[in-house]
Amino acid sequence: MNATDVSAARAAAVAATVDRIRAIEAAEGVTRPALEKIRAELLALAAQEHLFPSATFPPPANGEKGSNRYLLQEDPGHRFALYMNALNPGNETKPHDHTTWAVVVAVDGQELNKVYERTDDGSDPGRCELRVREEVMVEPGRGICLMPEDIHSIHTTGTRPTRHLHMYGLALEKLDDRKAYDPATGTVTAYNKNFMKPTSQAKA
């Protein structure tokens, strides 16, 4: 397929997948079993690697840190936002929440997700105590489901850039109350304001 055919096929596959995801949430709400069904839909989409070529969704140039995030589809009202996130190896994020549900699966590359639990009572909004509850390697065939209150950090490993699909119940740009957590200092800060880059445009 040429680039135009790939783009059209990608748009159709994304639209059909999001239709099914929308139906899952409508029928079951935001529960861990529902997110597992959404993960299965996204894994099937991610398995069509030819729809997401690295030339169209490149990571930052010259092995730079940070990520390039590409919007694939977003509903009216900023619901059901699906992104392609491209990172180089050696990146990591602060532990953070989303305040909406999220599911992440891999087209290519490995991303270690550390999932945390709070050991404090949450009474001080500017302070936290965390410990790692589990670690999940997001890679082709394996993804992660996160409830709105879940806290995780991302660590890209291996030697290949990652291309991962990130699906959110509400678009990232609209999540104004996200928090970043620093396990070393115990401080809590605003995540979007301090750490989130703008969405990038896919290459033609």
Side-chain angles (χ1 to χ4, degrees), residues 53-122:
S54 58
T56 304
F57 303 102
N62 303 316
E64 293 173 3
K65 300 293 186 182
S67 66
N68 287 343
R69 185 179 65 254
Y70 305 94
L71 180 64
L72 298 176
Q73 181 169 311
E74 179 182 331
D75 275 16
H78 309 288
R79 294 291 327 276
F80 300 101
L82 178 61
Y83 304 87
M84 168 64 71
N85 208 31
L87 298 88
N88 291 307
N91 272 277
E92 61 181 35
T93 67
K94 292 279 189 185
H96 59 275
D97 59 21
H98 295 105
T99 68
T100 189
W101 61 262
V103 178
V104 180
V105 302
V107 174
D108 194 18
Q110 293 182 312
E111 175 185 279
L112 177 65
N113 280 248
K114 295 182 180 180
V115 183
Y116 301 82
E117 61 185 2
R118 294 188 67 157
T119 57
D120 63 299
D121 61 10

Side-chain angles (χ1 to χ4, degrees), residues 101-174:
W101 61 262
V103 178
V104 180
V105 302
V107 174
D108 194 18
Q110 293 182 312
E111 175 185 279
L112 177 65
N113 280 248
K114 295 182 180 180
V115 183
Y116 301 82
E117 61 185 2
R118 294 188 67 157
T119 57
D120 63 299
D121 61 10
S123 59
D124 184 345
R127 304 291 300 175
C128 71
E129 295 177 9
L130 300 178
R131 67 182 173 204
V132 177
R133 186 180 76 216
E134 64 174 325
E135 296 186 354
V136 178
M137 183 66 80
V138 175
E139 56 192 348
R142 189 178 187 195
I144 188 169
C145 305
L146 298 162
M147 293 288 281
E149 67 277 9
D150 286 342
I151 299 169
H152 80 140
S153 60
I154 292 170
H155 311 261
T156 53
T157 61
T159 59
R160 300 167 65 96
T162 65
R163 280 173 290 137
H164 289 183
L165 296 174
H166 289 230
M167 181 88 211
Y168 299 94
L170 186 66
L172 286 172
E173 290 81 359
K174 298 299 176 181

Side-chain angles (χ1 to χ4, degrees), residues 34-46:
L35 295 188
E36 290 170 3
K37 293 181 180 180
I38 290 171
R39 178 176 57 190
E41 295 290 348
L42 290 170
L43 285 170
L45 179 62

